[in-house]
Amino acid sequence: MSEYPGSELSPGTVAEYLALAVAEARAGLAEGGIPIGAALIVDGKVLATGHNKRIQLGSPTRHGETDCLENAGRQPATVYQRSTMVTTLSPCDMCTGAILLYKIPRVIIGENQTFFGGEDYLRSRGVEVVVVDDEECIQLMRDFMEASPSLWNEDIGEED
Amino acid sequence: MSEYPGSELSPGTVAEYLALAVAEARAGLAEGGIPIGAALIVDGKVLATGHNKRIQLGSPTRHGETDCLENAGRQPATVYQRSTMVTTLSPCDMCTGAILLYKIPRVIIGENQTFFGGEDYLRSRGVEVVVVDDEECIQLMRDFMEASPSLWNEDIGEED
């Protein structure tokens, strides 16, 4: 039986996919960026990975998920429709919308303790949402929010 | 009285703002791109404009609205919160989400005849939505969809 109700994914597969996103989050942190990473899996293979580049590129739209989609490049609709988006953090409204635009049927979320995004809306639109509640993801965000609260608020459109 | 129920904007102001987005759509078309343009207005002034760059940059995330946000660069939350997003076409789920992420309170939409996006969701989240039903915007999209149906389907994550 799966650890994740309603999902066919085994805990081992989820952990393997999430590790890709965590590696991206850590790469972003090492660049001086916001530590949120993502990976797009298609047919069990990694199509692309990405991480938040607000600071690195001065970008208000390169979140983990959108950077990952950007790195995947232009793809036919059918590719997205058999993919899984993996992200270290619950997706914001923009990234939720990007997932819906491309009809990505499943999202694996590292954690939603430090930020709760569009999960309910994703589910209401038929997307499978798997929340891992991963301690490493939580700690990455807690440390960043504590060290750089203004940057974090900027990233989610909140006032300081 | 306004031509647009529920909006304080005069028809002249709406037309002036929309012209900026249309000019961007035409610039995109001239580059061989998908003719959708946008502008971000803050305190009655143009902060940025942008247009769809799927073809020009090989980008799945640079729609009119997201390109406009990208061109505006990193902004404090308070700037977005007193802005108006102008777009030639009803915003897709991703761009709807970007508008919600940054709490942009008002969206002016050139037309929603050729594509109907996240307008109802925007309204449900408290965003003022003004639909112009502009013939020039409709014609730009109709011509493009007829000439390049595959590109258009790709842009909205639809199969051919």
Side-chain angles (χ1 to χ4, degrees):
Chain A
M1 247 186 73
S2 168
E3 190 180 328
Y4 302 105
S7 178
E8 289 178 0
L9 291 177
S10 74
T13 300
V14 170
E16 180 195 328
Y17 290 170
L18 184 59
L20 297 162
V22 171
E24 281 286 334
R26 291 204 175 279
L29 189 65
E31 293 164 4
I34 303 176
I36 305 170
L40 192 65
I41 313 292
V42 181
D43 302 334
K45 299 195 183 91
V46 184
L47 178 63
T49 61
H51 56 265
N52 187 302
K53 290 185 180 141
R54 171 174 296 274
I55 296 164
Q56 296 92 318
L57 298 181
S59 168
T61 69
R62 289 280 194 116
H63 277 191
E65 300 90 327
T66 48
D67 186 59
C68 181
L69 289 169
E70 197 63 23
N71 292 341
R74 291 171 55 185
Q75 297 289 338
T78 50
V79 169
Y80 298 115
Q81 288 169 21
R82 56 181 203 270
S83 74
T84 295
M85 176 65 82
V86 191
T87 174
T88 54
L89 182 65
S90 186
C92 79
D93 281 318
M94 175 177 66
C95 295
T96 294
I99 290 159
L100 291 170
L101 167 63
Y102 289 116
K103 303 178 182 63
I104 295 172
R106 182 162 55 196
V107 180
I108 296 173
I109 296 171
E111 64 105 352
N112 61 10
Q113 301 289 315
T114 66
F115 176 78
F116 189 83
E119 294 170 37
D120 293 338
Y121 188 51
L122 286 170
R123 286 195 184 94
S124 79
R125 297 274 301 265
V127 177
E128 178 187 327
V129 176
V130 174
V131 179
V132 180
D133 207 25
D134 179 77
E135 273 305 320
E136 187 177 3
C137 292
I138 295 170
Q139 202 56 52
L140 269 167
M141 282 311 297
R142 285 220 172 113
D143 290 349
F144 183 80
M145 287 170 176
E146 196 177 309
S148 307
S150 293
L151 284 171
W152 171 241
N153 282 329
E154 183 191 315
D155 204 51
I156 53 170
E158 296 283 354
E159 292 177 60
D160 277 330
Chain B
M1 247 184 78
S2 169
E3 191 179 328
Y4 302 106
S7 178
E8 290 179 1
L9 291 177
S10 74
T13 300
V14 169
E16 180 194 328
Y17 291 170
L18 184 59
L20 297 161
V22 171
E24 282 286 334
R26 291 203 175 279
L29 189 66
E31 292 164 4
I34 302 176
I36 305 169
L40 192 65
I41 313 290
V42 180
D43 302 334
K45 298 195 184 91
V46 185
L47 179 63
T49 60
H51 56 266
N52 187 302
K53 290 186 180 139
R54 171 173 296 274
I55 297 164
Q56 298 92 317
L57 298 180
S59 167
T61 68
R62 288 280 194 118
H63 277 191
E65 299 90 326
T66 47
D67 186 58
C68 182
L69 289 168
E70 197 63 22
N71 292 341
R74 290 171 56 187
Q75 297 289 338
T78 50
V79 168
Y80 298 114
Q81 287 168 21
R82 56 181 204 270
S83 75
T84 295
M85 176 65 82
V86 191
T87 174
T88 55
L89 182 64
S90 187
C92 79
D93 281 320
M94 175 177 66
C95 295
T96 294
I99 290 160
L100 291 170
L101 166 62
Y102 289 118
K103 301 180 183 64
I104 295 172
R106 182 162 54 197
V107 181
I108 296 173
I109 297 170
E111 64 106 352
N112 60 11
Q113 302 288 316
T114 67
F115 176 78
F116 189 83
E119 294 171 35
D120 293 338
Y121 188 50
L122 285 171
R123 287 195 183 94
S124 79
R125 296 273 302 264
V127 177
E128 178 187 326
V129 177
V130 174
V131 180
V132 180
D133 206 25
D134 179 78
E135 273 305 322
E136 187 177 2
C137 292
I138 294 169
Q139 203 55 53
L140 270 167
M141 283 311 297
R142 284 220 173 113
D143 291 348
F144 183 80
M145 287 169 176
E146 196 177 309
S148 307
S150 293
L151 284 171
W152 171 240
N153 281 330
E154 183 192 314
D155 204 51
I156 53 170
E158 296 284 355
E159 291 177 60
D160 276 331

